[in-house]
Amino acid sequence: MTTLIVALLIFLLPLAYSPGPGNMFFAANGARFGLKATMPANLGYHLATWIVTAAIGFGALAAFTTHPGAFQALKLLGSLYVLWLAWSLFRSGSHDDAADASPAGFGTGVLLLLFNPKAYLIIALMFTQFVADGNGVGDWQVVLVITTVFTLNNFFAFLTWTAAGDRLARQFREEHSALWINRAFGLVLAGVALWMAFG
């Protein structure tokens, strides 16, 4: 089991820490609201991650294989959702200028995972590589270990991106700088949304 965990962490390192919808979203929210304020959304995202990963590990991926149109619909909805998040961020001003500004909550984190096709692809790829039999379903203990390691690794990756966004924003607290940081993150997130839709 130790060998499995080490191999899995090595496999996940570039996938978890590379820019994607979740990482960019949390980096942007970290820049706008700080690390602590993003924790409810982070917890929502990763509770959903654990549940979805376990479901795929126990065979729910077969639904997407049987009905590829369902995956395409999820891909489109996910890209539209991330594009909406990008637009909201792009339009926001400085850290303190909007009375109604608030960090993303638990539910937003859950939705971000559910509409993230990159997550489904990584999870499916992970199980094809690390579960012994070929149908994506293995010993329940192995599935739970893989699910838990994947979720925790992803959680720490998101904390890293959030802290990086927070640190970047601390260097540019003036209103003008904060506006451009939000716009830059909004454009990056929009690029991720387009990649999700057409990649």
Side-chain angles (χ1 to χ4, degrees):
M1 193 65 78
T2 302
T3 304
L4 170 69
I5 292 172
V6 171
L8 180 59
L9 287 171
I10 292 170
F11 170 80
L12 291 174
L13 185 66
L15 298 173
Y17 288 86
S18 63
N23 287 339
M24 290 298 96
F25 173 78
F26 282 100
N29 270 263
R32 182 154 170 79
F33 299 106
L35 179 63
K36 184 177 178 181
T38 66
M39 286 305 293
N42 208 335
L43 292 173
Y45 187 98
H46 288 94
L47 176 62
T49 296
W50 195 94
I51 293 169
V52 167
T53 304
I56 290 174
F58 287 117
L61 184 63
F64 285 134
T65 305
T66 308
H67 306 287
F71 185 80
Q72 291 302 319
L74 175 70
K75 185 177 178 179
L76 178 61
L77 286 173
S79 61
L80 290 174
Y81 182 65
V82 171
L83 194 59
W84 176 78
L85 292 172
W87 176 245
S88 299
L89 183 64
F90 185 85
R91 290 179 51 236
S92 63
S94 71
H95 300 277
D96 304 312
D97 70 344
D100 60 346
S102 60
F106 186 89
T108 299
V110 171
L111 288 175
L112 187 61
L113 180 277
L114 294 178
F115 290 145
N116 182 357
K118 180 186 175 186
Y120 292 89
L121 292 173
I122 291 172
I123 293 166
L125 178 62
M126 177 178 63
F127 279 114
T128 62
Q129 298 300 312
F130 292 95
V131 175
D133 57 11
N135 60 7
V137 181
D139 178 78
W140 68 271
Q141 291 174 316
V142 173
V143 170
L144 291 180
V145 166
I146 290 172
T147 296
T148 302
V149 168
F150 172 69
T151 303
L152 290 175
N153 180 69
N154 210 50
F155 178 74
F156 288 118
F158 280 27
L159 284 180
T160 301
W161 277 92
T162 306
D166 185 20
R167 186 165 180 83
L168 175 67
R170 287 174 189 268
Q171 307 301 316
F172 303 98
R173 284 296 183 195
E174 297 82 9
E175 181 175 349
H176 180 73
S177 298
L179 176 67
W180 284 105
I181 288 173
N182 288 336
R183 287 184 175 175
F185 273 121
L187 288 173
V188 170
L189 203 56
V192 170
L194 293 174
W195 170 80
M196 289 168 61
F198 302 110

